[in-house]
Amino acid sequence: RKEVEQDPGPFNVPEGATVAFNCTYSNSASQSFFWYRQDCRKEPKLLMSVYSSGNEDGRFTAQLNRASQYISLLIRDSKLSDSATYLCVVVISGGYNKLIFGAGTRLAVHP
Amino acid sequence: NAGVMQNPRHLVRRRGQEARLRCSPMKGHSHVYWYRQLPEEGLKFMVYLQKENIIDESGMPKERFSAEFPKEGPSILRIQQVVRGDSAAYFCASSEEDRGPDTQYFGPGTRLTVL
């Protein structure tokens, strides 16, 4: 079983749509959680951290359910510029912060 | 302040040749991480280095791969006797301290193609 699993997509949505991505992780010792965005043939960039209480940044909302080992990302009012691959990332507790990436979910927003 | 720099950006090698990938961390950063991304997959951790020390190489293949981060100069990821399966994007990230994942800044990557 992969440490971090995501639906690969692609999700094809029209502008203005709301889209949700899910992610599950297998290691209960995971302590930190993030969503990264990766544009085609570019490096990943941190989108937002994910907290147990949930957090929101503009049109983006992230949720964490530790009991179910489940992370989600909700994007409201999708823009063309949101088209990218969204990577779920976890960090296992103990020692330094080694990032463990999911394979990513592709989003394509069309006019 | 320049970001993380990697070179070359694209590298083509024939099977059996050596590949050398370089990573210059952000100014003031002494921690370097290397990740590999195979086509259609997520990034996989390879190795974590501090100046002159390898801290964790648990993600490195046992043979043909090595990494270093000398006191002076960039970090080097070296792949000997490359095979087609080594074709991938190799990203490095750097941080000032090992304080948190959000302090890791990624370079643009080196895309290695093995013919």
Side-chain angles (χ1 to χ4, degrees), chain B residues 17-34:
Chain B
Q17 291 184 319
E18 178 179 286
R20 281 187 179 237
L21 288 61
R22 289 177 289 278
C23 170
S24 297
M26 286 180 70
K27 186 177 181 180
H29 287 192
S30 59
H31 300 250
V32 167
Y33 309 77
W34 283 93

Side-chain angles (χ1 to χ4, degrees), chain A residues 32 34 36 38 40-44 46 49 87 91 95-104 106, chain B residues 10 33 35 37 40-43 45 48 55-56 58 91 98-102 104 106-108 111:
Chain A
S32 303
F34 306 87
Y36 275 69
Q38 185 175 28
C40 187
R41 304 185 71 76
K42 301 277 187 160
E43 72 272 26
L46 179 66
S49 303
L87 305 170
V91 174
Y96 62 93
N97 293 302
K98 179 172 70 178
L99 304 183
I100 301 174
F101 286 82
R106 283 193 294 144
Chain B
H10 301 274
Y33 309 77
Y35 296 84
Q37 186 173 30
E40 305 302 322
E41 294 189 16
L43 280 74
F45 167 80
Y48 163 45
I55 307 302
D56 183 341
S58 59
F91 292 97
D98 188 34
R99 289 179 297 165
D102 57 341
Q104 285 188 34
F106 280 84
R111 277 166 181 77

Side-chain angles (χ1 to χ4, degrees), chain A residues 10-50:
Chain A
F11 284 62
N12 294 300
V13 302
E15 277 186 287
T18 295
V19 60
F21 304 140
N22 303 321
C23 168
T24 57
Y25 59 94
S26 60
N27 193 327
S28 59
S30 299
Q31 66 170 10
S32 303
F33 309 88
F34 306 87
W35 284 101
Y36 275 69
R37 170 192 170 129
Q38 185 175 28
D39 292 288
C40 187
R41 304 185 71 76
K42 301 277 187 160
E43 72 272 26
K45 293 185 178 176
L46 179 66
L47 181 64
M48 59 196 306
S49 303
V50 188

